Structures are given as structure tokens and as C-alpha cells.
Amino acid sequence: MSAAAATFPNWAMLEPFVFRRDDDGSFPDAAKAPIRASGTTSWGATFTIAFSLADPPLISRLYAQLPVPGFPDPRRGRPLAILVTHRHLALLRVATETSAQVTVQDFFIYNSAADEDPSSSSLKLKALPPCTEPPFDYTRSDHRLPRCRRPPPPPEEEKHRRLLTIASMGLLCRGDEEFALCGGRAESLPAQPPLQVDADSDSSTSPGDQLGLGGAWNSMRVEILCSDDDDGWQPCGGWQTNAVIPFRRQWLCWVDYYQGILLCDVFRDPSPSVSFLRLPLDSACTANIRAKRFTCLYYRAVSVVDDGRVLKFVNVTRHDGVPFGTLKPGTGFTITCHTLLMSDGGGMAWEEDYKVTSDQLWDANLPEHLPRDILMYPQVDIERPHVVHFLFISQWKYAKKKMSVVSIDMSTMAVESLSPYINGHEGLQTDDADLIRDKSMSPMAFLPCEFPKYLSRKIE
């Protein structure tokens, strides 16, 4: 690919829905999706992925070619998912069900800096070794390290594998050749709750490794230390990881938008440490969210900017108390943004950047530029932190909703763009019908990715 044809963005807002296109006629060509890679699963099925990348606020896409019989019928689950990204790497999960009705999952690392020609399909995904660590026994009531619970023996071909919870998987790069892959689970105990961390702790490439990557999975328990100095509130039972954010090439942040953030110092020697940090929420907002916990992810987002060195939290608070749907007449919302400040001694504190009401935004923008309804799924622009992208839903009363991306300069309260994203019923006659059916029922936040800028570097 020539330098003149290299038009990759510095970062992308990736649609988490994977567009499965199994036949050659529906799978996009290199002109539409130039970033391509292929891999082979542990059960011998070959697959291909392709990225279509665009500058935000346009949405980027991931396509997958998963031919049957190596993969299940498209109507049976979603075999491939992109989980997290950090710098030049992305983590994908590929899964299937064996004839013995046992789920098998493989994890692959996509490295955007691994090939001279990013459009070449010769760029192979690298398979991670399977996790063979037994799960912990969480039934212990004391504070000692729990026994490893040995599950009933699975079929012979799967006895060395363990399923990992993909919602808590995190990826953290410290250098071009070194990264850590972790999954965590918090639990409730009478004292400070511990965190289980499963980590592929040494992932340097090994030429003799048949799977393509070195490293070994390890399970460990670490105590969670409270980072607040006000009331000592600790994470309680029912922790739900809504996002995993890499921060400063040192921490992985497990975010529960109802409870707070677990900051794991992954590379700390001799073992990781974890701190708990509350989110900056006023009492009225907290009371509302306690009653409607499952809606937190619609209106809150933690983002990193400045090459991963700065962490920001954006919160949209509805004034009508409705968890989901159009705003009640005569009501509005408030958007607040905070930045996490960290002292040399390890202290953490939130500093408010701004607080903007819907009335202020509506006064500054015409209705055709900013519709008078709720904004959802905030995402801070990585390159311009004063800009925030939101998902706006119209036609609430219809099952197949229309959606747009609204980009607002919060320093001036001016709308930069209102970009169509999903066309509702009208789009069901297009190739996006599967996306519309899925996203209308369960909208999700976009996945911010920086790996496109590493593609541009290679071909300058």
C-alpha cells in the first residue's frame, strides 16, 4: 500500500457488533475494509477478519468470515467478539461448542504493528495459550487464600482448558513487545474484598511456541485498598464490570458504573496491587442509580486521553428519574466531566472540569442540530478532550429505532456534527439489517481504539 493511500485515522470509535459475512460475495473487499488478518482456531477452523476504519464521529467496523462447518450456523450465537484494545494491540475471542456440548474459547491478539503491509491478509492473528488454572473456591468464609476448586473432569479433549469471563478481560501494553492480559472478579466478604486476577503475565514472543505467543496464565488474590478518604466505602456484592480501561501503561481499571473503579497496578513487583476509587457522583444521582442500577452504563463513561495518561469520567444525569426512554416533557439533563488527579504519593482525587445543563445546550443550538431529548453513551474524543460524542436515539416508540452520533464541543457548547448511524425500519432492507435488529434491542457503547495510528506509522 502506498503512502498516498494510507488514510487511517489516529483513533477510531469501533462498533462492538461484529458483522459476520461468511461468503465471499458479502465479505467486504480490500477497498472497503483494507485491514485484514487470518487465524486458525485450536479446533482447526480458519477465519478472516477485516477492519473498515473511519475518522470519528464516523463509526468503524469489524467484519468476520466464519465459514460453516468450522463455526456454528450464524443463527446460533456469536462465535467472534472483539473485547478490548490498547495501543497497537486488540484482543479477540473466538468460541464454539463441541460435539460433547462443551464450550471452547480461543483468544487471539491482533498486532497492528506486526506487518509491513497492513492490507495484506498474510498478517496472522497470534493465538494465546489456553488458561489451565483451576477456578478459586469462593465458598470460604475466612480471609485466607481459598482452595482451588477442582471442577468435575470435562471431556478428554477439553480437560486442560478453563473458560474465562470475557466481560472482565483487560489488555495492557507497556512496550512494543511486552503486554499483560488479565481478567478479574471482585467478591464480597466481611472485610476488604479481594480480587481474583487471572493473568498471562509474561507474554513476550517465543520462537519455539507453537501457539505463536509465550507466557503462562497465573491466578492470584490481591486485597482491594480504599482510595477514598471520606467514608471508607468499599465495593459490595454484585460487582458488575461494565468496562476495562488501560491507564498510563501501568494500571488496568475495572469499572462498575454503579460502584466505582478498581485500579490494578498490573506490573507491580512482586505482585499486582489493587485500589478502589469511587466515582464522583452527587447524592441525588447516587440515590437514583441505586434504584435503577442496570441503566448506569447508558449515561456514564470512563475515557483516557493524552496517550493514556489522563483519565476522565463523564456522567449524564436525567432530571426526570426515568431509567430509559425519551425525556418527560419539561425536563432535561445535566452533563458533568471530571478528571482524575494523582499525586506523587499515590493519592487520587477527582477534579470537576465542567457542568453543563440541557437548557444551556439547547439555548446554544438549533433543534435541527441538537434534538431536544436525552443524550446517551458519552465518549470523550481522544485527540480533542473538550469534545464529547454521544449516541442519540429517535423514534423511541418503534422497535427498530433510528440513532445518530452527536458531537459537542463542551467548551463552547456548540454541536459540531449530527451524524446518522442507524436508520431504523428503513435500514432493514440494507446490509445493516442484522446490526439494526441487534442494536435497537440492546444499544452499546462504542469501543475506542488507537491501533489505526500504528498502521499509519508503518507506511509513512
Side-chain angles (χ1 to χ4, degrees), residues 11 13 56-57 303 305 312 314 337 354 378-390 406-412 414-417:
W11 76 287
M13 290 167 54
S303 306
V305 298
K312 291 184 176 290
V314 178
C337 179
Y354 54 78
Q379 171 62 53
V380 176
D381 191 290
I382 289 180
E383 292 191 304
R384 300 180 300 154
H386 57 283
V387 174
V388 183
H389 307 285
F390 300 89
V406 182
S407 302
I408 303 177
D409 185 334
M410 303 304 293
S411 63
T412 63
V415 172
E416 290 192 343
S417 64

Side-chain angles (χ1 to χ4, degrees), residues 141-256:
S141 60
D142 54 39
H143 307 300
R144 293 175 294 166
L145 290 179
R147 297 182 301 269
C148 288
R149 184 177 68 249
R150 299 286 177 178
E156 182 67 23
E157 67 272 16
E158 305 302 333
K159 68 179 182 179
H160 298 302
R161 288 180 174 269
R162 171 183 159 195
L163 292 179
L164 297 174
T165 304
I166 62 175
S168 63
M169 299 296 290
L171 181 66
L172 183 66
C173 300
R174 188 161 63 170
D176 293 338
E177 298 291 338
E178 184 178 15
F179 69 90
L181 178 67
C182 300
R185 170 181 169 179
E187 59 181 292
S188 179
L189 288 177
Q192 292 180 341
L195 178 77
Q196 174 197 348
V197 177
D198 298 298
D200 188 10
S201 56
D202 181 12
S203 298
S204 57
T205 302
S206 173
D209 186 1
Q210 295 180 354
L211 289 168
L213 289 175
W217 291 91
N218 297 291
S219 292
M220 64 201 77
R221 292 280 294 273
V222 289
E223 295 295 321
I224 300 174
L225 306 176
C226 184
S227 297
D228 293 316
D229 56 4
D230 49 355
D231 58 5
W233 186 43
Q234 292 286 338
C236 60
W239 178 276
Q240 182 177 2
T241 299
N242 301 127
V244 186
I245 310 293
F247 178 42
R248 290 193 175 186
R249 305 186 192 181
Q250 180 179 356
W251 288 281
L252 273 177
C253 303
W254 283 281
V255 184
D256 181 327

Side-chain angles (χ1 to χ4, degrees), residues 37-41 45-49 108 123-125:
S38 299
T40 302
T41 68
T46 301
F47 65 95
T48 302
I49 63 170
F108 290 83
L123 175 60
K124 302 297 183 182
L125 297 170

Side-chain angles (χ1 to χ4, degrees), residues 98-168:
T98 67
S99 58
Q101 295 185 334
V102 174
T103 299
V104 182
Q105 61 180 192
D106 288 351
F107 293 98
F108 290 83
I109 292 291
Y110 164 71
N111 185 351
S112 65
D115 196 88
E116 292 299 325
D117 184 357
S119 66
S120 172
S121 60
S122 63
L123 175 60
K124 302 297 183 182
L125 297 170
K126 301 298 185 181
L128 287 168
C131 180
T132 57
E133 288 288 303
F136 281 116
D137 183 356
Y138 286 96
T139 63
R140 299 276 298 260
S141 60
D142 54 39
H143 307 300
R144 293 175 294 166
L145 290 179
R147 297 182 301 269
C148 288
R149 184 177 68 249
R150 299 286 177 178
E156 182 67 23
E157 67 272 16
E158 305 302 333
K159 68 179 182 179
H160 298 302
R161 288 180 174 269
R162 171 183 159 195
L163 292 179
L164 297 174
T165 304
I166 62 175
S168 63

